[in-house]
């Protein structure tokens, strides 16, 4: 972290000295070097803080990943309808939305550290409730409790990591949180696969194991410090100085302390009184930053990511994968892709920058969604016909359908068929059992254990040779989404707000993320029923195009800037950022610069001369 002075003069500023002797860039300014190559090693304590903080991300990811496989088992054991499946998924998301909105005032009052402790305790409590749930009502309550923990952690952890990180490593360290999210999703999918063989009650282990990382984070944070920026904001200067010494390794502690203190004083003088949200809306740069931050979180969800993660196993079954265990393990493949390509994002974020990474990510994500839609379209166009129309003793509408695709549009029906390994025949559309969607209420598929021959019961999917197209689309979708649109909205939101607005700004943007998460996850199965599966993914592809235009026009580059210097990026009109958002940000930083008046213009330890702007 250390003390870092600005290395380039603001356009209207007056520099005390000329360019450094190391040469000049194309525009005559100082030749920029890769900060990762010139800065001394970061103290290991910062990594410890980041890793324990990111356990909150792991829990976030574990929950979103584990429900995909657990839902396949719960659907059969508890006879869950589409509505109950959507409730169990979206209740967690809805609780997270409310908790993230309340997390802003909570962060300002209690601090980042205490909020992370509250979140991990809540996670643990929810995990116990889920593991012991006797019925779906208690299961719903446990999901809500877990959602409260997720919401607090999702807005607190990125802020905490950003506030204890040096500028040249901030993007990487905040992205570690997203790496842990995708790691949690991958571990959850493996756990799902392993416990799918347990039989009845396997879902209890899947949902209850989240207690272990939650307890580990709680114990760890009992011994870790508060954010120095929050401590200074609360007037606890000696504590802040001590924490800064630990996270900077003793380099430039006083200068860093003075820079943060000056920033807080400037913000207090400029901010005026009143509620923080009203001050944000009155202050132009912070208001524009909030719009950009909330917009990024909105488009992250509208691109359909949590539809893919919550329902990945269900989507694979919709595409024709008929075995629950096979669908769960294939979902693990998609989670592994998500995790591996998030590592790519960690590597690229400080090299390529946030803006370019998101633009490339959205382009690939949109094309992958089109491929997913095409896979479902091919499956629909080649749907097997209903060849048998037996007399229906229940007089249901199922016997009226002529193909598997039309049969699947009715949530009360399933497709019963005979498969000899090369073709589908003797097929019928029959009503589902009132006890479970795993078999028909009558006919050849009403008792699959006693049925002779290769009879199969398909609920929510049709047998098709095009499952591989959908699996390819899922893998490509995550390969493009994971490095950019996965971590970058959280990274950007953790750094674009001034200190006085950081908790509230992150609470608002997290609330937007979770609100649209609720909307997408609660409506996916109904949208798929209304628009067909391929129509739903074409819709998400169209929304990704809108997100691409938003990022192109409104997002400036924040790579390498001090948290205290973000306001200048949003000083112009709202969506002029694309034209003026330079990847060559005109403020750069060096270590070892003492900002006392006697040392203005001094040569630092790396022989680079610092530029000072006088106002």
């Amino acid at each position: 972290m250390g003390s870092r002075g600005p290395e380039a003069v603001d356009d209207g500023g007056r520099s005390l000295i000329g360019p450094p002797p190391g040469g000049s860039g194309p525009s005559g300014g100082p030749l920029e070097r890769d900060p990762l190559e010139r800065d001394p090693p970061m103290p290991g304590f910062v990594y410890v803080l980041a890793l324990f903080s990111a356990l909150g991300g792991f829990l976030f990811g574990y929950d979103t990943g584990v429900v995909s496989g657990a839902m396949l088992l719960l659907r059969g054991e508890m006879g869950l309808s589409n509505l109950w499946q959507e409730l169990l998924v979206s209740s967690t998301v809805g609780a997270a939305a409310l908790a993230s909105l309340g997390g802003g005032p909570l962060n300002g009052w209690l601090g980042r550290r205490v909020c992370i402790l509250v979140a991990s305790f809540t996670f643990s409590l929810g995990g116990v409730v889920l593991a012991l749930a006797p019925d779906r009502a208690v299961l719903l309550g446990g999901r809500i409790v877990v959602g409260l923990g997720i919401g607090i952690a999702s807005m607190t952890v990125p802020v905490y990591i950003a506030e204890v990180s040096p500028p040249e490593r901030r993007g990487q360290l905040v992205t570690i949180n997203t790496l842990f999210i995708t790691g949690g999703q991958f571990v959850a999918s493996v756990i799902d696969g392993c416990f799918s063989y347990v039989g009845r009650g396997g879902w209890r282990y899947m949902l209850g194991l989240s207690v272990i990382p939650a307890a580990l984070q709680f114990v760890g944070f009992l011994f870790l410090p508060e954010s120095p920026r929050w401590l200074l904001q609360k007037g606890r200067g000696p504590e802040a100085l001590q924490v800064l010494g630990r996270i900077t390794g003793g380099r430039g502690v006083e200068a860093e302390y003075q820079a943060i203190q000056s920033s807080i004083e400037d913000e207090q003088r400029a901010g005026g009184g009143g509620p923080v949200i009203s001050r944000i809306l009155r202050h132009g740069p912070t208001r524009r930053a909030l719009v950009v931050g909330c917009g990024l979180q909105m488009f992250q969800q509208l691109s359909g990511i949590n539809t893919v993660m919550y329902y990945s196993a269900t989507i694979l079954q919709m595409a024709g994968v008929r075995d629950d265990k096979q669908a769960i393990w294939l979902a693990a493949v998609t989670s592994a892709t998500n995790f591996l390509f998030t590592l790519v994002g960690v590597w690229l974020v400080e090299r390529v920058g946030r803006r370019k990474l998101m633009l490339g990510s959205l382009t690939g994500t949109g094309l992958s969604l089109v491929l997913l839609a095409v896979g479902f379209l091919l499956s629909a166009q080649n749907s097997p016909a209903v060849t048998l129309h037996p007399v229906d003793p229940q007089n249901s509408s199922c016997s009226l359908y002529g193909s598997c695709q039309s049969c699947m549009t009715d949530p009360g029906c399933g497709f019963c068929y005979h498969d000899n390994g090369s073709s589908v025949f003797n097929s019928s559309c029959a009503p589902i059992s009132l006890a479970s969607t795993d078999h028909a209420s009558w006919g050849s598929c009403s008792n699959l254990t006693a049925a002779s021959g290769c009879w199969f019961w398909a609920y929510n999917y049709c047998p098709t040779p095009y499952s591989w197209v959908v699996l390819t689309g899922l893998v490509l979708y995550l390969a493009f989404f994971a490095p950019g649109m996965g971590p970058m909205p959280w990274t950007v939101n953790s750094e674009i707000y001034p200190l006085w607005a950081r908790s509230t700004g992150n609470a608002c943007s997290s609330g937007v993320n979770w609100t649209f998460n609720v909307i997408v996850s609660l409506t996916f199965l109904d949208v798929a029923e209304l628009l067909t599966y391929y129509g739903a993914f074409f819709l998400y592809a169209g929304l990704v195009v809108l997100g691409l235009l938003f990022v192109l026009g409104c997002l400036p580059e924040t790579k390498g800037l001090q948290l205290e210097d973000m306001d200048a990026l949003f000083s112009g009109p709202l969506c002029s950022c694309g034209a003026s958002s330079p990847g060559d940000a005109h403020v750069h930083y060096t270590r070892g610069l003492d900002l006392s008046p006697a040392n203005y213009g001094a040569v630092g330890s790396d022989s680079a001369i610092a530029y000072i702007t006088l106002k």
Side-chain angles (χ1 to χ4, degrees):
M1 207 160 165
S3 53
R4 298 168 190 83
E7 260 192 355
V9 186
D10 209 31
D11 293 340
R14 190 164 50 83
S15 66
L16 294 178
I17 52 178
S24 61
S27 60
L31 184 63
E32 182 182 354
R33 290 178 292 165
D34 186 350
L36 297 182
E37 296 175 358
R38 74 181 180 199
D39 283 318
M42 189 167 52
F45 185 64
V46 176
Y47 286 111
V48 173
L49 294 178
L51 291 175
F52 269 95
S53 303
L55 281 173
F58 180 90
L59 289 162
F60 176 5
Y62 185 88
D63 178 79
T64 58
V66 80
V67 73
S68 171
M71 199 60 68
L72 295 183
L73 304 184
L74 283 165
R75 190 174 65 194
E77 285 191 30
M78 293 192 175
L80 300 178
S81 64
N82 276 358
L83 176 61
W84 264 99
Q85 290 180 66
E86 290 174 334
L87 277 176
L88 288 174
V89 170
S90 58
S91 60
T92 300
V93 181
L98 294 175
S100 64
L101 287 171
L106 204 62
N107 263 257
W109 175 39
L110 298 176
R112 290 39 162 156
R113 174 179 172 272
V114 174
C115 283
I116 292 174
L117 285 169
V118 170
S120 55
F121 176 79
T122 308
F123 269 124
S124 301
L125 179 62
V128 172
V129 173
L130 289 172
L132 302 177
D135 53 43
R136 60 190 184 184
V138 176
L139 196 67
L140 180 63
R143 295 284 296 162
I144 290 172
V145 173
V146 166
L148 295 174
I150 289 175
I152 295 172
S154 68
M155 66 84 40
T156 306
V157 168
V159 172
Y160 181 83
I161 297 175
E163 290 187 346
V164 300
S165 303
E168 70 278 357
R169 296 279 186 177
R170 187 177 60 244
Q172 282 188 334
L173 291 174
V174 175
T175 305
I176 284 176
N177 183 54
T178 308
L179 179 66
F180 270 55
I181 292 175
T182 57
Q185 290 167 340
F186 173 61
V187 170
S189 63
V190 173
I191 295 292
D192 281 351
C194 293
F195 285 104
S196 65
Y197 298 95
V198 169
R200 290 188 66 85
W203 56 268
R204 295 185 184 277
Y205 300 98
M206 298 176 184
L207 298 175
L209 283 173
S210 62
V211 172
I212 296 173
L216 179 62
Q217 185 185 47
F218 183 86
V219 172
F221 258 87
L222 290 175
F223 303 98
L224 294 176
E226 180 56 81
S227 158
R229 285 174 166 83
W230 184 85
L231 290 171
L232 265 173
Q233 190 180 38
K234 297 300 179 181
R236 294 159 63 177
E239 292 177 64
L241 196 61
Q242 184 180 26
V243 176
L244 280 171
R246 296 179 70 186
I247 63 181
T248 62
R251 293 186 300 269
V253 176
E254 288 291 343
E256 185 77 17
Y257 180 93
Q258 293 299 330
I260 297 171
Q261 185 66 49
S262 297
S263 173
I264 292 171
E265 291 171 356
D266 290 344
E267 289 163 0
Q268 289 172 344
R269 284 193 296 269
V276 175
I277 188 64
S278 66
R279 292 169 58 193
I280 289 175
L281 296 177
R282 290 198 307 267
H283 186 240
T286 311
R287 180 179 65 247
R288 287 186 280 273
L290 182 66
V291 171
V292 170
C294 291
L296 292 178
Q297 297 284 31
M298 177 183 73
F299 282 113
Q300 184 199 61
Q301 291 303 315
L302 291 180
S303 64
I305 179 57
N306 281 313
T307 289
V308 170
M309 296 315 300
Y310 291 139
Y311 295 107
S312 56
T314 302
I315 289 169
L316 287 166
Q317 282 203 325
M318 289 173 176
V321 178
R322 62 187 176 212
D323 181 66
D324 282 356
K325 296 180 182 65
Q326 185 182 10
I328 288 172
W329 282 114
L330 286 173
V333 172
T334 63
S335 296
T337 303
N338 196 21
F339 174 70
L340 291 174
F341 279 89
T342 303
L343 283 171
V344 175
V346 173
W347 182 73
L348 287 176
V349 61
E350 296 298 353
R351 290 167 172 81
V352 174
R354 287 71 157 150
R355 177 181 158 83
K356 289 180 181 177
L357 206 49
M358 274 196 267
L359 290 173
S361 175
L362 282 165
T363 301
T365 297
L367 294 174
S368 303
L369 284 168
V370 170
L371 180 61
L372 265 171
V374 168
F376 279 111
L377 180 59
L378 290 172
S379 298
Q381 291 177 340
N382 295 275
S383 176
V386 172
T387 57
L388 299 177
H389 294 274
V391 176
D392 187 347
Q394 298 178 356
N395 292 320
S396 72
S397 59
C398 299
S399 59
L400 302 177
Y401 299 117
S403 70
C404 179
Q405 181 67 22
S406 56
C407 180
M408 287 301 105
T409 61
D410 190 331
C413 304
F415 189 66
C416 182
Y417 64 98
H418 198 280
D419 190 343
N420 62 6
S422 60
S423 62
V424 172
F425 58 96
N426 290 343
S427 57
S428 61
C429 185
I432 62 172
S433 167
L434 294 177
S436 171
T437 59
D438 285 347
H439 53 271
S441 61
W442 55 266
S444 300
C445 291
S446 61
N447 188 350
L448 294 177
T449 304
S452 59
C454 297
W455 287 101
F456 295 98
W457 170 250
Y459 180 72
N460 214 31
Y461 76 91
C462 289
T464 174
Y466 295 104
S467 302
W468 67 271
V469 179
V470 174
L471 179 59
T472 303
L474 278 176
V475 170
L476 287 176
Y477 173 90
L478 292 169
F480 282 110
F481 184 91
M485 281 305 289
M488 290 308 107
W490 299 102
T491 300
V492 170
N493 270 283
S494 72
E495 58 191 9
I496 59 176
Y497 307 109
L499 181 58
W500 61 269
R502 194 165 296 146
S503 294
T504 302
N506 274 276
C508 291
S509 63
S510 297
V512 167
N513 182 289
W514 287 109
T515 299
F516 279 90
N517 192 329
V518 171
I519 293 170
V520 172
S521 60
L522 185 60
T523 59
F524 170 65
L525 295 178
D526 291 322
V527 168
E529 188 177 320
L530 179 66
L531 300 180
T532 71
Y533 302 139
Y534 59 85
F537 286 105
F538 276 130
L539 173 64
Y540 294 142
L543 293 171
V544 165
V545 172
L546 295 179
L548 183 65
L549 295 174
F550 178 81
V551 171
L552 193 63
C554 299
L555 178 67
E557 183 55 73
T558 61
K559 177 168 73 84
L561 296 179
Q562 283 268 32
L563 292 176
E564 286 72 31
D565 294 309
M566 292 293 174
D567 251 18
L569 291 179
F570 298 95
S571 56
L574 177 60
C575 282
S576 62
C577 298
S580 63
S581 128
D584 59 341
H586 46 268
V587 179
H588 309 295
Y589 301 94
T590 60
R591 288 189 183 277
L593 175 64
D594 184 352
L595 294 183
S596 63
N599 287 301
Y600 278 173
V603 179
S605 58
D606 60 355
S607 298
I609 299 179
Y611 292 83
I612 306 300
T613 300
L614 296 181
K615 295 181 179 179

